[in-house]
Amino acid sequence: MMHRRTFLKSMALAAAAGPRLAAQANLPWGSPVLDTHLHLRRDADACFTHIQGCGVTRAVLLTPARDESRAIEEMARRPGVFARSVSADPAAADGDQLIREALKAGAVSIGELKFHLALDSPEMRRVYDIAAEMQVPVMMHIQNFPHFAGELPYNTGYPQFDKIIRAYPRTNFIGHGDLFWAHISADVPTDRGYPSGPIKPGGLSDRWLSDFPNLYADTSANSGNNALSRDPDFARGFVKRHQSKLIFGSDCSCLDGKGGGISQNNNPEASRLAGKCVARETLTLLQGLASPEVFRQIAWENGMKLFKIPA
Ligand SMILES: [Zn+2]
Ligand SMILES: [Zn+2]
């Protein structure tokens, strides 16, 4: 029989060892991690390989409506690990219907929407209404500078997006992509997608994250990683300021969660992440910018809450 004092002492020791044991075992980042931006892969189980390889706990599989059954199968194979989104072209005749049906069948978000439409177009407005009605967030890929010759811009009209955010107070928007993150700075060059160097305070994305409770930011891809690493002093303040609005996502396409294969679709502008796992890179970056409490918010709590994922 264990004496009470010995018992209390061993409890205290276990509590003290807790975080370290957790770090060594199944929480390599010291906190659970939700990847809110993991594209469903052709071999769906490759998503599980990826999250295991980079120490991610759960993930939202970004799922085009036509691939829904594959996502559902993968979710069933790995209970408690995955949730799924839905995306469909809002300009297609059945776009709205596909989105609505998938949400009714359990999709937790709309996205990513990466189509050649204006942010204030009637097609996108219909999606914002569905997001409000179904109380799910909607994520847009906002990009104007091409990754390859002839690539057209996605979700245009970002400098006027505040009018939309204001007009749809019941819709939770998640900003993502090159131009969204370029606007972390008040000066945005037009000759490249991923500006480098010091950030000029007063950028639209920074201001709007403060001004609007219904705007969130997804840290994924080279765009998020680049924006948060180009000016560490600025980034520390940005992360603190928007600690309840930043949501971890990777958008990584590496094979093993360790940088194998191709991580950013061979986009030459994103070569700084070649051979690296974007999830690992951005989680490491966030650990350097945030306190452990804020890291946990960004890596886990904010996303679980916004996507309403059952714990
Ligand atoms: Zn994207
Ligand atoms: Zn990866």
Side-chain angles (χ1 to χ4, degrees):
M1 191 185 119
M2 197 184 264
H3 287 286
R4 181 174 156 77
R5 183 176 295 171
T6 316
F7 174 73
L8 288 176
K9 196 176 162 196
S10 64
M11 288 295 282
L13 281 173
R20 204 175 61 236
L21 286 177
Q24 285 163 356
N26 52 357
L27 294 178
W29 300 99
S31 146
V33 175
L34 172 70
D35 184 349
T36 63
H37 198 127
L38 187 65
H39 287 278
L40 179 68
R41 301 178 177 198
R42 198 175 299 270
D43 166 13
D45 214 42
C47 295
F48 189 69
T49 305
H50 187 267
I51 68 169
Q52 280 207 308
C54 59
V56 162
T57 320
R58 300 180 70 167
V60 178
L61 300 174
L62 298 193
T63 306
R66 64 178 172 277
D67 294 332
E68 188 182 34
S69 58
R70 279 204 293 123
I72 291 173
E73 272 171 39
E74 184 60 18
M75 288 167 65
R77 191 180 308 152
R78 307 285 182 188
V81 174
F82 295 119
R84 70 182 188 281
S85 76
V86 59
S87 72
D89 183 351
D94 60 351
D96 300 10
Q97 199 192 336
L98 289 172
I99 290 173
R100 214 181 274 275
E101 278 169 10
L103 293 172
K104 283 185 182 150
V108 296
S109 64
I110 303 171
E112 76 178 288
L113 294 182
K114 188 175 181 180
F115 300 96
H116 306 298
L117 290 167
L119 285 162
D120 66 353
S121 62
E123 293 88 351
M124 291 298 286
R125 285 172 180 269
R126 279 204 297 274
V127 176
Y128 308 150
D129 281 330
I130 296 172
E133 180 195 325
M134 305 290 288
Q135 278 302 293
V136 295
V138 54
M139 188 217 289
M140 284 88 54
H141 177 106
I142 298 165
Q143 178 195 338
N144 61 348
F145 191 79
H147 289 177
F148 54 85
E151 190 181 28
L152 296 171
Y154 304 95
N155 289 305
T156 51
Y158 185 66
Q160 294 82 44
F161 188 47
D162 55 330
K163 294 183 180 64
I164 290 291
I165 309 173
R166 193 176 285 117
Y168 292 84
R170 292 177 58 239
T171 302
N172 286 322
F173 297 96
I174 305 174
H176 149 79
D178 309 8
L179 191 66
F180 173 82
W181 280 111
H183 275 286
I184 191 174
S185 179
D187 52 2
V188 178
T190 53
D191 63 343
R192 73 205 107 133
Y194 307 115
S196 54
I199 286 169
K200 187 174 167 194
L204 294 182
S205 298
D206 189 8
R207 273 170 32 205
W208 293 345
L209 283 166
S210 296
D211 291 349
F212 300 110
N214 56 330
L215 178 66
Y216 295 81
D218 157 7
T219 66
S220 75
N222 184 53
S223 55
N225 185 288
N226 178 66
L228 295 173
S229 55
R230 57 185 275 202
D231 183 343
D233 284 341
F234 178 91
R236 262 184 281 277
F238 179 89
V239 163
K240 198 165 184 204
R241 210 157 44 247
H242 304 305
Q243 57 184 265
S244 60
K245 309 296 279 306
L246 301 178
I247 290 172
F248 172 72
S250 76
D251 204 3
C252 191
S253 54
C254 90
L255 294 178
D256 50 6
K258 297 180 166 66
I262 293 166
S263 75
Q264 285 286 278
N265 295 320
N266 275 338
N267 171 11
E269 259 209 300
S271 61
R272 53 189 286 279
L273 290 178
K276 295 175 177 172
C277 173
V278 188
R280 283 173 176 270
E281 293 301 308
T282 298
L283 288 167
T284 303
L285 177 63
L286 289 169
Q287 279 191 328
L289 295 172
S291 68
E293 292 73 26
V294 171
F295 175 84
R296 187 186 167 96
Q297 268 187 285
I298 297 171
W300 177 251
E301 289 165 6
N302 295 344
M304 291 293 284
K305 197 166 139 198
L306 183 63
F307 287 74
K308 299 195 183 79
I309 297 175

